[in-house]
Amino acid sequence: MAEETKTLEDLGDISSVPPAAADQPVHVQKLDAHGRAYATGKRKNAIARVWIKPGAGRIIVNDKDFTEYFARPVLQMLLKQPINAAERAEQYDIRATVVGGGLSGQAGAVRHGISKALTHYEPELRPVLKKGGFLTRDSRVVERKKYGRAKARRSFQFSKR
């Protein structure tokens, strides 16, 4: 049986003991056979599949340029937020396919997918994107319609007679 230690001096030099490892998970680069990072983004009923690879900064959504697919400037700005926060505007080509929902939900899904794919390609970008709130999936969805109601919460118009 091992000998017992009664005091701190019995332990000897504690500088040789390695510090306890942090309990934080280690994030590593995840690439496919073609050298691309893949991620799935979701928002409302929209689901986006996003691939990122080094390139000139082109963004293709459903085989169209993103400015053509998302015509509103607000949606284009929403799409570029994680890229601008990471300061990688002209470094990656992004290809996305998105289905379901409306344009606003689709733009949010692509933004979420871009953020996740950036962290898969460059794990050191994770703190910047996490701080900006780009990695959090927006879980708000449309509330279902209830019976006896006109919509989810709206009642039918009241009539005394």
Side-chain angles (χ1 to χ4, degrees):
M1 197 160 161
E3 63 184 57
E4 280 188 50
T5 54
K6 306 245 187 229
T7 63
L8 288 175
E9 287 78 32
D10 292 341
L11 288 175
D13 186 24
I14 60 169
S15 62
S16 63
V17 178
D23 291 338
Q24 297 176 355
V26 177
H27 298 284
V28 294
Q29 188 179 44
K30 298 177 191 171
L31 301 179
D32 64 5
H34 302 287
R36 303 174 300 187
Y38 168 79
T40 305
K42 296 181 180 182
R43 171 99 173 34
K44 294 186 179 180
N45 283 337
I47 300 171
R49 299 183 303 162
V50 179
W51 291 268
I52 288 184
K53 64 179 182 178
R58 290 189 304 273
I59 303 174
I60 307 295
V61 178
N62 287 355
D63 295 325
K64 293 181 182 178
D65 188 59
F66 83 105
T67 56
E68 186 181 337
Y69 191 83
F70 297 112
R72 293 198 313 234
V74 173
L75 300 180
Q76 295 173 15
M77 178 206 66
L78 194 76
L79 222 68
K80 287 186 162 192
Q81 281 179 335
I83 304 163
N84 293 338
E87 298 172 355
R88 302 289 191 270
E90 303 296 321
Q91 295 184 12
Y92 295 114
D93 282 345
I94 299 168
R95 184 173 196 82
T97 58
V98 60
V99 293
L103 283 179
S104 177
Q106 287 184 351
V110 173
R111 177 180 100 152
H112 186 228
I114 289 172
S115 305
K116 285 172 62 175
L118 276 172
T119 61
H120 291 327
Y121 203 91
E122 286 188 65
E124 60 271 8
L125 291 178
R126 186 174 172 82
V128 175
L129 295 172
K130 185 82 172 163
K131 186 179 177 199
F134 302 119
L135 297 177
T136 306
R137 191 244 199 253
D138 191 351
S139 61
R140 296 175 296 168
V141 293
V142 178
E143 191 175 346
R144 74 173 189 86
K145 184 195 177 304
K146 281 79 172 185
Y147 56 87
R149 298 266 174 180
K151 292 167 53 176
R153 298 188 179 197
R154 190 191 180 332
S155 299
F156 294 113
Q157 184 171 345
F158 176 75
S159 174
K160 220 173 205 183
R161 293 181 238 307

